[in-house]
Amino acid sequence: METEAYLGVEDPASHAWNGRRTPSNESIYGSPGTWYVYRSYGLHWCANLVSGPSGRGAAVLIRGLEPVEGVETMRRRRGGVADRLLCDGPGKLCQALGITSELDGRPMADSSVLVFPGERPARFELTPRIGITRAVEWPLRFLAAPLASTRRP
């Protein structure tokens, strides 16, 4: 599992920075557990779960995961790539899970995609976030030990 935290209105890398509100980012201000789904560079969907109190704009980007169910469907959606590449980036993950803007603003518990806590990793790494231009040095990227050995910041 790989995630990145975005702390909301005080975080220059957050879509909620300085309280910025637009129709496309309104979901980030929702209740904890609400999906916030957006397009990155107009190409790939990115899936976040709101993680702070309503109105705060804090969310966690799901950057990567290790599939445990539905692998055949993921292989089909991703065009037959190697299993280790099915969900090793936020856009790839959304493609594999079939996540689109239809999920945006929905409570996770009532959606077609559910996130369950797995076993807590024995070890995880905390690194600076990647793929952003502001507050890059903030150590808010979390990698479970199995991914940490294969992914570089």
Side-chain angles (χ1 to χ4, degrees):
M1 178 69 126
E2 178 183 352
T3 61
E4 281 180 355
Y6 291 88
L7 306 179
V9 297
E10 291 94 20
D11 183 346
S14 171
H15 290 178
W17 166 241
N18 253 350
R20 179 180 52 220
R21 283 182 109 117
T22 67
S24 63
N25 80 346
E26 191 60 32
S27 296
I28 201 170
Y29 292 100
S31 302
T34 299
W35 284 108
Y36 169 52
V37 179
Y38 65 90
R39 282 267 197 202
S40 178
Y41 303 108
L43 299 172
H44 309 285
W45 294 111
C46 290
N48 298 258
L49 283 168
V50 174
S51 57
S54 297
R56 178 105 172 98
V60 174
L61 170 65
I62 304 172
R63 292 194 53 84
L65 59 77
E66 190 173 330
V68 293
E69 289 183 23
V71 175
E72 287 302 321
T73 300
M74 291 180 196
R75 286 178 184 140
R76 190 172 55 256
R77 286 177 178 153
R78 293 275 296 119
V81 300
D83 285 1
R84 65 182 174 77
L85 302 176
L86 287 173
C87 300
D88 70 334
K92 296 174 186 181
L93 179 146
C94 285
Q95 184 182 19
L97 296 177
I99 293 175
T100 67
S101 63
E102 292 178 20
L103 217 56
D104 186 51
R106 297 191 60 197
M108 187 220 11
D110 298 333
S111 74
S112 59
V113 179
L114 301 175
V115 177
F116 295 100
E119 280 187 37
R120 183 182 169 127
R123 188 175 71 77
F124 69 91
E125 288 185 25
L126 180 61
T127 73
R129 297 179 288 194
I130 60 174
I132 57 174
T133 57
R134 291 183 279 180
V136 175
E137 69 285 358
W138 292 17
L140 294 171
R141 179 174 172 236
F142 301 84
L143 298 105
L147 286 178
S149 63
T150 58
R151 299 279 311 237
R152 299 275 185 246

